[in-house]
Amino acid sequence: MPTLDNLQTDEISGNWDPFYKVRATIIDGQSARFSIPDEIKNREGKQIELSGALIFRGNGCTMIDSSRISVNYFFLLPTLGLARACELQPDVAMRWTIRVDLAIPLILNRNQMIDAMAKVKGVFKIDTSKPYEAAFIIENASAELKPEHD
């Protein structure tokens, strides 16, 4: 399972590096203060490509029938390990969680959604108004599920 210690070092994996420098401080139960590096701020409005672990929750998924689910958006984190660990630490999750709004919904079955990994591409946006959801967004995105991980 990939972790921060053994992430692949290809160009797409390197796109996560600036996100490791983000810091979030929870102010109250609804807001947070962010320290976002300029290299991330300078990406706003531009195409970005990232790969990582998918988390499905909220209204992003709709049942089509008993075996298919339409996914309009999901959340992306660098690794499966972080995806699992960040559920318990909201200030840490805020640093790396990216909401991916798909241009065309993915149609998946339940098995495809378990420990899913994908490569995504779209327009990067920063919006810290809902930090418990995601301060970073990839809009009009495409997503390609990765085959079973090593």
Side-chain angles (χ1 to χ4, degrees):
M1 172 185 316
T3 66
L4 283 179
D5 295 328
N6 66 2
L7 286 177
Q8 296 176 3
T9 57
D10 61 14
E11 184 177 337
I12 295 172
S13 295
N15 289 337
W16 279 106
D17 290 348
F19 291 92
Y20 302 140
K21 299 174 189 171
V22 172
R23 295 295 176 258
T25 304
I26 296 172
I27 296 170
D28 56 31
Q30 296 178 2
S31 59
R33 182 175 44 256
F34 285 83
S35 173
I36 301 171
D38 287 340
E39 55 194 313
I40 293 178
K41 291 177 184 177
N42 294 338
R43 291 182 178 190
E44 189 164 18
K46 298 176 184 166
Q47 286 283 323
I48 190 169
E49 189 171 3
L50 291 168
S51 59
L54 282 57
I55 297 176
F56 305 96
R57 62 180 177 214
N59 295 327
C61 302
T62 306
M63 293 292 296
I64 296 173
D65 56 36
S66 62
S67 63
R68 296 180 305 151
I69 300 160
S70 175
V71 178
N72 294 308
Y73 70 85
F74 55 83
F75 298 90
L76 184 74
L77 283 100
T79 69
L80 285 170
L82 280 176
R84 293 181 186 126
C86 287
E87 294 293 323
L88 303 175
Q89 301 174 349
D91 57 328
V92 174
M94 291 174 189
R95 297 166 54 185
W96 299 311
T97 302
I98 298 176
R99 178 178 161 146
V100 178
D101 292 336
L102 296 167
I104 299 171
L106 289 175
I107 306 299
L108 304 175
N109 63 47
R110 290 180 193 270
N111 288 337
Q112 290 173 305
M113 297 174 82
I114 298 170
D115 290 342
M117 301 284 291
K119 179 170 59 171
V120 302
K121 185 176 185 179
V123 178
F124 182 68
K125 179 181 172 185
I126 300 170
D127 180 354
T128 59
S129 66
K130 297 179 186 175
Y132 283 88
E133 182 174 299
F136 307 110
I137 303 161
I138 300 177
E139 297 179 324
N140 200 29
S142 61
E144 176 184 328
L145 285 185
K146 288 182 166 187
E148 291 286 322
H149 21 280
D150 302 329

